[in-house]
Amino acid sequence: MDIVIIEDEIEIAHLIQQTLERESFTCHLAYNGRVGLELFYQKQPELVILDLMLPELDGLELCARIRQKPGTKDPYILMLTARGEEIDRIIGLSTGADDYMVKPFSPRELTARVRALLRRSLRHDSQPQQLHRSRHFIIDLDQHSALRKLEGMPEETLDLTTLEFNLLATFVSYPNRVWSRTQLIDNLWGNDFFGDERVVDTHIRRLRKKVEPDPANPIFIKTVVGVGYKFEDDSV
């Protein structure tokens, strides 16, 4: 699997590269944000390891650009920073990062985080053959396709990342069930999850942008204040 490492501290970049190449990953290095973005589009990696503080284009802006235009792959993003304040973690996750590590970190922890992120897609690729329907959605796990049909509009194939697809499939297969963040993490990531559970909120916002007619006023994926989320849509 290809990994793009965007880190301006050369010694740290090389340490990450050596650590992951010992684990048989293919790594590509960039030392500033602008070159890193070009390298991302060129290599289309499964994972981007991204420093928060970068010259030319900082990590937050770079993360946002990757999420806005992911190319043929929508990669997992592991964000690095020397700062450990909570606000930094929240900002990083809100721009689309999947996980967050504070420097300094051990090579063993880095390897564990990377393998956990990459195993997410491998696990979900082996889901059983099933079809889930609601009034406005058809989720085909075998074909890995999600269709939406709104009143007065043609049927639409939704362009979802692997995680977004599995999140929507979870909701549609259990209509009206209230899910806590912890339950969604257990269902989608299991023991592979590292990091802040509020990453769920980020993925919910991104999914709403793709499935809701008006993401600011969701009618399908509802927030249950103080508890979590639930999916509401009449059964067919």
Side-chain angles (χ1 to χ4, degrees), residues 7-221:
E7 166 65 67
D8 65 326
E9 296 185 56
I10 296 176
E11 290 185 0
I12 293 178
H14 287 171
L15 173 62
I16 295 171
Q17 180 185 27
Q18 293 165 8
T19 298
L20 296 179
E21 287 184 344
R22 283 198 298 268
E23 301 295 323
S24 299
F25 294 110
T26 300
C27 297
H28 312 277
L29 296 181
Y31 303 114
N32 68 65
R34 197 163 302 281
V35 173
L37 186 61
E38 294 172 358
L39 186 62
F40 164 73
Y41 286 123
Q42 176 187 351
K43 298 299 182 181
Q44 291 294 299
E46 282 78 14
L47 172 70
V48 176
I49 298 178
L50 174 63
D51 189 29
L52 182 62
M53 303 300 292
L54 291 167
E56 296 192 34
L57 193 66
D58 69 38
L60 295 178
E61 177 65 22
L62 184 52
C63 183
R65 292 194 187 188
I66 290 174
R67 288 306 185 212
Q68 290 165 4
K69 190 179 178 183
T72 58
K73 296 180 182 178
D74 191 5
Y76 292 111
I77 297 178
L78 174 61
M79 188 168 283
L80 307 176
T81 181
R83 297 179 297 178
E85 291 85 354
E86 183 179 29
I87 188 63
D88 293 325
R89 294 197 297 273
I90 293 172
I91 293 173
L93 294 172
S94 69
T95 58
D98 295 286
D99 201 358
Y100 193 102
M101 288 185 67
V102 177
K103 296 184 287 188
F105 49 82
S106 71
R108 180 177 296 179
E109 180 185 9
L110 173 68
T111 301
R113 296 284 187 100
V114 167
R115 288 199 175 279
L117 284 169
L118 294 175
R119 277 200 302 269
R120 295 180 189 178
S121 59
L122 295 178
R123 181 196 302 114
H124 293 305
D125 284 344
S126 61
Q127 292 198 52
Q129 298 184 12
Q130 277 185 291
L131 193 69
H132 297 298
R133 295 175 179 267
S134 67
R135 180 177 178 183
H136 297 96
F137 297 90
I138 301 175
I139 310 299
D140 189 329
L141 297 181
D142 183 32
Q143 298 297 322
H144 207 272
S145 65
L147 304 178
R148 183 184 68 172
K149 179 66 169 70
L150 300 179
E151 285 78 0
M153 299 180 64
E155 189 174 83
E156 175 187 9
T157 299
L158 298 173
D159 183 16
L160 304 176
T161 66
T162 298
L163 186 57
E164 290 165 353
F165 176 85
N166 287 300
L167 182 56
L168 181 60
T170 297
F171 282 137
V172 176
S173 60
Y174 293 94
N176 299 309
R177 171 176 172 172
V178 178
W179 296 83
S180 68
R181 292 187 185 95
T182 300
Q183 289 171 329
L184 288 172
I185 287 170
D186 288 342
N187 190 67
L188 296 172
W189 288 287
N191 293 329
D192 292 339
F193 181 79
F194 290 89
D196 194 320
E197 68 176 15
R198 278 169 294 191
V199 71
V200 172
D201 301 339
T202 299
H203 291 294
I204 292 289
R205 285 195 297 271
R206 292 172 57 195
L207 182 60
R208 280 173 171 165
K209 290 179 180 179
K210 297 182 179 182
V211 306
E212 298 283 357
D214 179 7
N217 298 286
I219 60 175
F220 300 123
I221 303 173

